[in-house]
Amino acid sequence: MQSEAPSRCGLSRAGGEEEEEAAPPGGITLEELERLGEEAAEGLAEERLLGFWQRVGRGHRVDVPPDMAQPIQQLTRNNHSREKESVPFTVMSRKEKLGKVLYERRHYGKGKWACVKVKEPQYEQSVCLGFMKIMRYICEQNSAGLYLGMTVPIVTIIHTSESSSDLTSLVTVAYYLPGELQDQPPVPYDPDIVIEEWPPAVVYARGFRGVTNEDSIAREINLLAELLEGPEPYLQDTFVVAVYTNPAAANRRNEMWFLERP
């Protein structure tokens, strides 16, 4: 793949678990993240936090702009002091082998999500730009002027082309509105962010750890497809990558979701 100039974006990529992978370029250890969270809670770490995120960004050929310093500190401070709300679901069934969960079949109810569509040359660049927009929305850039609270997972909807299994460059990054905001979501200042109500859905979910890029996503799609032993139950061209862990962490917790056909 040819080298490209850094994209002017930010922070993220959008979980049976696998063994831990080596830290990617620019990865931050969980111990460093914990220490920075403590400093952010004391109001001491804005410059240091920005520097750490910029280091991570350079490792993935993306550029974290200086105006992200305040949202980064606010999100880190609140994540350190608050429990993250999880998107509610019900486990309908699961497949296990030797005591290990291979995948779960889950039901998710309808809910409102803040969504942004992004199209950059590389998957990682698209997702980081989308998450940076979502992050600003969470951190007071909304009609309520409030910090909205972090929910997990942050999901990325991806598509494959009709003629091959290659990922298309257009992705949708989405954030589930906390329960107390579901009835009246604050309006985003960013016109690229749209509040959508997603209908109930049944998904097949399989966990994995590490970075999320074109190669790891293709691998996880193939692994879950093999476990399901046939294409009949799920959509063939639309998949979801769900991310639960701080995106700067070297060993992130993720899930691959397949959407059951209506």
Side-chain angles (χ1 to χ4, degrees), residues 13 22-28 55-61 211 248 250:
R13 268 169 318 282
I28 299 176
R55 192 182 89 191
V56 173
R58 286 192 296 271
H60 299 286
R61 293 200 293 271
V211 298

Side-chain angles (χ1 to χ4, degrees), residues 167-192:
L167 299 182
T168 62
S169 56
L170 178 66
V171 305
T172 300
V173 181
Y175 154 78
Y176 181 80
L177 274 297
E180 62 186 19
L181 301 174
Q182 281 286 313
D183 290 338
Q184 293 184 308
V187 178
Y189 287 162
D190 187 338
D192 290 340

Side-chain angles (χ1 to χ4, degrees), residues 54-184:
Q54 288 174 331
R55 192 182 89 191
V56 173
R58 286 192 296 271
H60 299 286
R61 293 200 293 271
V62 298
D63 185 19
V64 180
D67 66 1
M68 285 301 298
Q70 186 173 355
I72 289 170
Q73 186 185 42
Q74 187 172 27
L75 194 67
T76 305
R77 180 176 62 246
N78 282 283
N79 282 351
H80 183 73
S81 60
R82 299 186 186 183
E83 288 291 326
K84 297 177 183 177
E85 180 178 338
S86 297
V87 181
F89 67 89
T90 301
V91 176
M92 303 173 71
S93 63
R94 60 170 53 98
K95 183 174 182 178
E96 300 183 6
K97 183 176 182 180
L98 301 177
K100 178 181 178 181
V101 177
L102 300 179
Y103 66 82
E104 290 182 337
R105 183 170 178 259
R106 303 173 181 166
H107 178 270
Y108 287 84
K110 71 177 182 179
K112 292 187 174 70
W113 296 72
C115 308
V116 57
K117 296 183 185 296
V118 190
K119 186 177 182 179
E120 292 289 316
Q122 293 184 340
Y123 170 83
E124 293 167 278
Q125 294 171 337
S126 294
V127 177
C128 74
L129 177 57
F131 183 74
M132 186 170 67
K133 287 176 171 287
I134 293 294
M135 189 174 179
R136 287 185 169 121
Y137 171 61
I138 295 171
C139 296
E140 300 183 6
Q141 294 190 23
N142 56 71
S143 60
L146 299 174
Y147 174 77
L148 304 183
M150 192 64 190
T151 63
V152 290
I154 296 291
V155 305
T156 302
I157 302 173
I158 57 177
H159 305 276
T160 55
S161 60
E162 294 181 2
S163 59
S164 71
S165 60
D166 293 337
L167 299 182
T168 62
S169 56
L170 178 66
V171 305
T172 300
V173 181
Y175 154 78
Y176 181 80
L177 274 297
E180 62 186 19
L181 301 174
Q182 281 286 313
D183 290 338
Q184 293 184 308

